[in-house]
Amino acid sequence: MEKKRAAQSAFLNLRALVALLIFGVAASSMLSGTLLAFFRSEAPANGSQRTLTFAQRVAYQRAIEEIYWRHRIWPKENPDPKPSLDAVMSQGQLEKKVGDYLRKSQALEGYWHRPITPEQLQTEMDRMAKHTKQPNVLHELFEALGNDPFVIAECLARPVLWSERWRLLHQLRSRG
């Protein structure tokens, strides 16, 4: 019973942290007149808009994969010790993964004649925070991304959104 209360408390603390983080970003963005505009990944760099280089995206993807790998349960029937992430995922594979999600995101933007919006990224981050079944993992992911809402949106939310849009596009094409 004590563990259950502690887990519920940790989940509520994570939700409160995410809500405060989102509220703080929204408030500061409203004050600067650029509400959520900083989430745009392809906007030109200036004082109020940010971008991530491909190398930065790959480094963040590496941090994400490290956390996922650390939490992956190694089968008991496998007598070998769990290998390091480097042994199962090369730098080239990380670069390909990032390149693929960026290319597909751009292709979908062209197909639908509209980009993934900052509001869609925000909605996806809210969904992740609200519906996670592993708040401790989500908390680790946020920490690995510097608790930076822009980086979280670009490196966690954007890949999920393009994946969902890509799946939807294939469903639509298979019907027609």
Side-chain angles (χ1 to χ4, degrees):
M1 189 61 151
E2 191 66 33
K3 283 184 180 180
K4 186 176 180 180
R5 269 190 257 152
Q8 288 174 337
S9 175
F11 178 72
L12 292 174
N13 287 339
L14 177 64
R15 288 181 72 186
L17 174 67
V18 170
L20 283 172
L21 181 69
I22 292 167
F23 177 76
V25 168
S28 67
S29 294
M30 282 190 284
L31 290 174
S32 68
T34 58
L35 179 60
L36 299 176
F38 63 93
F39 282 136
R40 297 269 315 158
S41 66
E42 308 310 324
N46 65 31
S48 65
Q49 296 175 328
R50 293 173 54 190
T51 62
L52 292 175
T53 66
F54 184 77
Q56 288 171 315
R57 287 177 185 274
V58 171
Y60 285 126
Q61 188 64 43
R62 167 83 180 156
I64 291 166
E65 297 296 339
E66 275 285 347
I67 291 166
Y68 287 151
W69 185 247
R70 192 170 47 247
H71 286 278
R72 177 164 287 160
I73 297 170
W74 195 245
K76 290 177 185 172
E77 52 275 356
N78 189 336
D80 298 327
K82 184 177 178 181
S84 69
L85 178 62
D86 289 330
V88 296
M89 181 176 270
S90 69
Q91 180 70 15
Q93 289 171 307
L94 279 168
E95 291 171 2
K96 182 178 179 339
K97 186 172 190 170
V98 172
D100 284 348
Y101 87 67
L102 289 174
R103 274 189 299 281
K104 289 177 180 176
S105 182
Q106 286 292 320
L108 289 173
E109 288 178 11
Y111 180 81
W112 275 313
H113 306 290
R114 60 179 170 222
I116 292 174
T117 66
E119 292 78 13
Q120 289 169 319
L121 291 170
Q122 183 65 56
T123 299
E124 180 56 28
M125 290 192 315
D126 293 344
R127 186 201 62 76
M128 287 176 177
K130 185 175 182 179
H131 297 291
T132 184
K133 292 183 176 148
Q134 295 181 301
N136 61 324
V137 174
L138 188 62
H139 180 70
E140 284 183 53
L141 289 167
F142 283 13
E143 281 183 355
L145 300 175
N147 288 314
D148 184 330
F150 174 79
V151 175
I152 293 166
E154 286 298 317
C155 298
L156 277 180
R158 180 174 294 278
V160 170
L161 285 176
W162 80 252
S163 177
E164 289 173 4
R165 283 184 169 189
W166 197 255
R167 184 181 47 77
L168 177 62
L169 177 61
H170 284 284
Q171 286 175 346
L172 292 172
R173 285 186 170 173
S174 68
R175 291 182 193 159

